[in-house]
Amino acid sequence: MNDDELIAMVKADLHVHLVGSAAPHTVAALAARYPRGGVPQETSELRRFFRFRDFAHFLDVYTAVSKLVRTPEDLVILVDGLAADMRAQGTVYAEVTVTPVTHIRQGIGAGELAQALNAGAARARAGGVELAWVYDISGRDGSDGGRLTLDAALNHPPDALTGFGLGGPEAGVRRSDFRQEFAAARAAGLHSVPHAGESTGPEEIWSALDDLGAERIGHGVAAAGDQRLLDRLREDRITLEVCPSSNVATGVVRALEDHPLPRFLEAGVPVVLGSDDPPMFGTSLLEEYRRARDRLGLPASTLRALAAASIQASFAPPALKRELTGN
């Protein structure tokens, strides 16, 4: 399968963060606008800035970039950039993770956040790209952050809010600590899509399933070593949003060739590819398909199955799924 065929495949990105999707030139422009943010103002320097020592260092860098987004207009710029990148890659749909507390603390009201996302989504739709949103709690923000995120999701949601997530650090942050927030979000009709098992063991994936009612799992790398968990994921049809380049860049996996994606496929676990924070990790959704082809040796039939799964595992309405796939 050549690159043109990869681009032509109808596919969705179900694991991408809005701030982390910002192209280097966008980050550099924001850094120049807010020079006290500690983020380089030259794209050449940003390449070095985005070399991560470990997962904790990545979180520090991500937080610094997030603090450059200070107005609703900044948010629309991010959405415009994401949509343009998606069009170039043949990505027709994404469920984009937004951390509302980060933006609220930078002075953007929850209502303003929702309006900016609505405006960005409308512009993207006019260009042939459909966007939906996942509001996530950062584990760094603790219980106060959980309450603020839930309030934004329930009382000031953007039109296409579809999911409720949990990201940020895993070490020392139990999934079960946010059981109440997830229960309330699910009761309001939002889908549960927490990160788990990215930088900790399989126990947090179990907790995401049992305590948070997870319908998809972000990353889930640690599941590879737990056969009983693999069986559970397969039997319950819980999709893993797998982001191989991200896991290598943050040191979660030593090398791309060591990534457990083939193990998940062999075990029959539902899997989709995600880009996570693509410019920060020197990748894109298209590049993830390329690397799965070239570095992990996945055949064309598997790549097509992954693309089809990305639409089916999404929370897009059935009519939109049919429209996206032409079926």
Side-chain angles (χ1 to χ4, degrees):
M1 176 176 282
N2 61 37
D3 283 3
D4 288 342
E5 291 172 314
L6 290 178
I7 294 171
M9 289 192 311
V10 176
K11 54 191 173 295
D13 196 342
L14 304 185
H15 193 113
V16 58
H17 295 259
L18 180 59
V19 168
S21 75
H25 66 85
T26 301
V27 177
L30 289 171
R33 190 181 307 172
Y34 308 115
R36 295 184 181 180
V39 176
Q41 300 174 31
E42 301 293 335
T43 55
S44 58
E45 295 178 19
L46 278 171
R47 284 193 287 271
R48 289 189 291 272
F49 191 63
F50 291 159
R51 292 174 187 162
F52 307 113
R53 296 186 297 271
D54 51 29
F55 189 73
H57 179 224
F58 158 68
L59 290 175
D60 289 340
V61 170
Y62 187 91
T63 298
V65 174
S66 296
K67 289 181 178 179
L68 299 177
V69 182
R70 303 184 184 184
T71 70
E73 292 74 21
D74 294 339
L75 287 161
V76 174
I77 289 171
L78 295 185
V79 178
D80 285 349
L82 172 60
D85 288 342
M86 288 174 59
R87 280 192 294 273
Q89 299 171 56
T91 304
V92 296
Y93 176 84
E95 292 174 0
V96 185
T97 296
V98 176
T99 309
V101 170
T102 298
H103 303 304
I104 290 168
R105 289 178 176 169
Q106 292 302 116
I108 302 172
E112 291 179 307
L113 171 60
Q115 290 173 7
L117 297 179
N118 288 341
R123 290 155 67 108
R125 185 176 303 111
V129 170
E130 289 286 342
L131 300 177
W133 311 104
V134 173
Y135 270 12
D136 85 324
I137 303 166
S138 171
R140 278 186 167 178
D141 293 330
S143 58
D144 287 344
R147 287 191 291 271
L148 283 171
T149 304
L150 182 65
D151 177 73
L154 299 189
N155 297 317
H156 306 280
D159 293 339
L161 184 65
T162 192
F164 197 75
L166 172 60
E170 284 190 85
V173 180
R174 298 177 302 177
R175 309 297 90 175
S176 60
D177 289 343
F178 299 95
R179 185 187 293 111
Q180 291 183 345
E181 289 84 358
F182 272 79
R186 287 158 53 209
L190 295 176
H191 298 281
S192 174
V193 288
H195 292 47
E198 179 181 9
S199 59
T200 59
E203 65 280 354
E204 288 302 318
I205 303 176
W206 283 107
S207 179
L209 296 171
D210 295 334
D211 295 316
L212 305 185
E215 299 168 68
R216 294 197 313 250
I217 296 286
H219 297 285
V221 176
D226 186 333
Q227 184 60 53
R228 191 166 65 91
L229 179 54
L230 292 174
D231 293 341
R232 168 79 178 275
L233 295 169
R234 182 188 68 250
E235 291 165 5
D236 289 356
R237 308 310 296 166
I238 305 296
T239 297
L240 297 183
E241 305 158 0
V242 176
C243 309
S245 296
S246 164
N247 299 146
V248 173
T250 59
V252 171
V253 175
R254 186 181 63 84
L256 198 66
E257 289 75 11
D258 297 327
H259 198 277
L261 171 58
R263 168 73 171 132
F264 295 144
L265 293 170
E266 178 186 356
V269 173
V271 174
V272 296
L273 290 176
S275 63
D276 205 6
D277 304 292
M280 292 185 177
F281 300 135
T283 192
S284 65
L285 185 62
L286 177 60
E287 184 62 24
E288 292 303 283
Y289 277 89
R290 286 194 188 109
R291 292 173 184 177
R293 177 193 65 192
D294 299 339
R295 304 278 298 277
L296 295 175
L298 299 189
S301 58
T302 301
L303 297 174
R304 292 191 187 96
L306 287 170
S310 70
I311 300 294
Q312 294 310 312
S314 78
F315 300 122
L320 178 56
K321 288 183 180 181
R322 290 192 295 271
E323 179 183 338
L324 293 173
T325 59
N327 295 328

